[in-house]
Amino acid sequence: MLVLNSGSSSVKYQLLDMADGARLATGLVERIGERTSRLTHTPLNGGGDGGSGSGGETRTHDAPVPDHDAALKAAADELAADGMGLDSPELAAMGHRVVHGGRRFTEPTLIDDDVLKEIERLVPVAPLHNPANLRGIRTALALNPRLPQVAVFDTAFHTTIPEYAARYAIDVRTADEHRVRRYGFHGTSHAYVSRRTAELLGRDPSEVNVIVLHLGNGASASAVRGGVCVETSMGLTPLEGLVMGTRSGDTDPAVIFHLARVAGMSVDEIDTLLNKKSGLVGLCGDNDMREIRRRVDAGDETASLAFDIYVHRLRKYIGAYYAVLGRVDAVAFTAGVGENSAPVREAATAGLEGLGLAVDPARNEERAAVPRLVSPEDARVAVAVVPTDEELEIARQTYALVKHV
Ligand code: ADP
């Protein structure tokens, strides 16, 4: 399975062996369209279940890559050099990450003209992401029209959210006409992590209620009841919800009118402010949690306040989703910050013993790349660290769809 994540200026890919989920190659083409593009390709020799095993030598090429067409062609050449070109009989399908699938795409979907049109129709609600995803799919189709191409949508896992949680309390006709509602994102990660958390507890996903906290540069929370998503923090776009690396998360919508009227800012300027210059970077100038913690430890008050705002929002969502679920079996931390930042996990759960939530300090400090519990032995609610693996999940969903075709 070849998994492709085609972004606005980069293309990431991974080749996986579906016999055991082992990774055979990973690669990245960065700064597409700029003068200093770079391709990095690493052949790997497996290690089952999402493992990378021991790596081969990374090959790096610095040369201009003008567009996504050229990027995917360059990636295909690297794969072909390792004996796994896009026309290789062993390559069964390609799985594409597609950010916005609207309400229609509730499952991984085999791509045809009709599906391409619908992804295109969703561009107004995902103007940064869907066009880049589409470019990746179209190039792949051109390179090998016979290879099945599957779209795996970031929104799909959230399509089960009940109407009362998905609908904003604004005029129904306006909302419907412009498809304004909560879609949610990071769904592939929330699906994977909630399932892995149930496995970690030794229980079937259908029996377990989990709050998943996906804390990367983008961040979102979800409430998953018995394997089914019932609430998530991102909304029409990935701007809503938690404090993120550069995004504000929740604000009063009137902040926008205020800045337009009083500060004379344009809609595009406010868009950039809230998406790119807010969150942790807006609060303290840094969006890397490692650097923020270093500054906090050195007594930097600006960084301390940014950390407190970040954690306060997280705690509000934990409390809210506790109320949504009624009974919580586990809180799972994932993605760059969730997997690596013991201080964030500690602060997010501190003082919540009344809800059955706590971390064991020694377990919380341990570092490991496998799913693990960080709550005390007798905890009522498990607190887990579960590394996410969106590529493996996309590969598995793609494989499940095409293996019978
Ligand atoms: P993306 O949303 O870009 O996929 P990731 O899930 O890779 O993001 O998370 C990136 C973020 O994870 C970084 O910006 C940084 O804040 C955080 N991070 C990565 N490693 C560590 C670490 N060792 N300790 C604390 N935070 C970390």
Side-chain angles (χ1 to χ4, degrees):
M1 249 352 102
L2 181 61
V3 174
L4 195 75
N5 183 350
S6 174
S8 54
S9 67
S10 73
V11 168
K12 288 186 216 154
Y13 59 92
Q14 286 195 5
L15 185 69
L16 293 106
D17 180 349
M18 297 324 288
D20 57 1
R23 241 165 276 264
L24 302 176
T26 71
L28 167 68
V29 188
E30 310 168 79
R31 300 192 294 273
I32 296 170
E34 293 177 34
R35 266 182 310 169
T36 56
S37 320
R38 166 173 288 189
L39 182 151
T40 322
H41 177 91
T42 310
L44 300 164
N45 48 15
D49 199 22
S52 301
S54 51
E57 196 129 316
T58 298
R59 306 196 287 268
T60 305
H61 302 282
D62 287 312
V65 177
D67 51 30
H68 286 68
D69 236 25
L72 192 51
K73 274 187 197 130
D77 287 346
E78 292 300 322
L79 289 163
D82 297 340
M84 189 57 84
L86 288 198
D87 53 358
S88 162
E90 281 175 274
L91 185 62
M94 274 179 78
H96 296 265
R97 175 182 184 219
V98 179
V99 167
H100 215 308
R103 298 182 73 179
R104 167 165 158 194
F105 296 115
T106 59
E107 310 226 322
T109 306
L110 199 60
I111 295 168
D112 59 17
D113 281 346
D114 178 46
V115 172
L116 282 174
K117 272 195 208 112
E118 183 64 19
I119 297 172
E120 181 105 56
R121 226 168 60 84
L122 289 161
V123 165
V125 280
L128 296 180
H129 295 103
N130 274 26
N133 304 155
L134 273 170
R135 276 198 288 277
I137 297 170
R138 291 208 164 103
T139 308
L141 280 168
L143 287 175
N144 184 354
R146 289 188 314 281
L147 189 64
Q149 309 284 339
V150 172
V152 177
F153 298 92
D154 261 23
T155 45
F157 185 59
H158 304 304
T159 53
T160 49
I161 291 175
E163 191 63 11
Y164 56 75
R167 191 173 274 285
Y168 294 112
I170 62 175
D171 172 66
V172 169
R173 258 189 299 174
T174 309
D176 286 351
E177 188 182 341
H178 300 287
R179 289 188 283 186
V180 174
R181 61 189 281 111
R182 176 180 310 289
Y183 294 99
F185 300 88
H186 292 145
T188 306
S189 176
H190 286 284
Y192 176 83
V193 170
S194 57
R195 211 177 54 235
R196 287 293 292 217
T197 304
E199 278 169 22
L200 183 65
L201 301 180
R203 295 169 67 183
D204 194 83
S206 65
E207 300 169 357
V208 178
N209 293 351
V210 190
I211 297 173
V212 178
L213 303 168
H214 177 113
L215 312 176
N217 215 355
S220 63
S222 70
V224 183
R225 176 181 290 132
V228 176
C229 186
V230 293
E231 178 62 289
T232 195
S233 60
M234 284 179 169
L236 172 74
T237 76
L239 182 56
E240 194 179 346
L242 300 173
V243 176
M244 310 183 209
T246 66
R247 295 182 206 132
S248 61
D250 296 337
T251 51
D252 181 346
V255 166
I256 297 165
F257 321 138
H258 179 77
L259 291 176
R261 291 180 188 132
V262 175
M265 292 174 74
S266 71
V267 168
D268 286 342
E269 283 168 343
I270 301 170
D271 190 328
T272 303
L273 175 82
L274 296 181
N275 273 297
K276 304 228 166 98
K277 299 183 187 167
S278 297
L280 290 169
V281 93
L283 289 168
C284 73
D286 275 308
N287 61 346
D288 192 313
M289 193 49 82
R290 284 164 287 200
E291 181 58 17
I292 292 170
R293 282 309 307 178
R294 199 195 55 71
R295 287 173 56 187
V296 171
D297 292 341
D300 181 326
E301 285 179 15
T302 310
S304 284
L305 181 58
F307 183 80
D308 290 348
I309 294 168
Y310 181 93
V311 169
H312 175 69
R313 184 81 53 84
L314 206 49
R315 293 162 63 86
K316 285 212 294 191
Y317 271 90
I318 293 172
Y321 288 5
Y322 212 115
V324 166
L325 290 170
R327 186 200 85 223
V328 175
D329 300 296
V331 174
F333 286 87
T334 194
V337 177
E339 290 166 30
N340 295 301
S341 180
V344 166
R345 296 192 296 260
E346 188 198 313
T349 50
L352 300 185
E353 292 82 7
L355 297 178
L357 269 166
V359 296
D360 174 83
R363 286 181 171 186
N364 192 37
E365 290 295 337
E366 256 169 55
R367 298 185 62 82
V370 292
R372 62 198 185 277
L373 293 177
V374 296
S375 40
E377 202 57 53
D378 54 353
R380 192 148 48 89
V381 178
V383 179
V385 177
V386 179
T388 192
D389 194 337
E390 288 163 287
E391 289 79 15
L392 178 62
E393 180 69 11
I394 291 172
R396 283 196 177 141
Q397 293 192 12
T398 301
Y399 184 56
L401 186 69
V402 300
K403 72 179 167 191
H404 302 300
V405 174

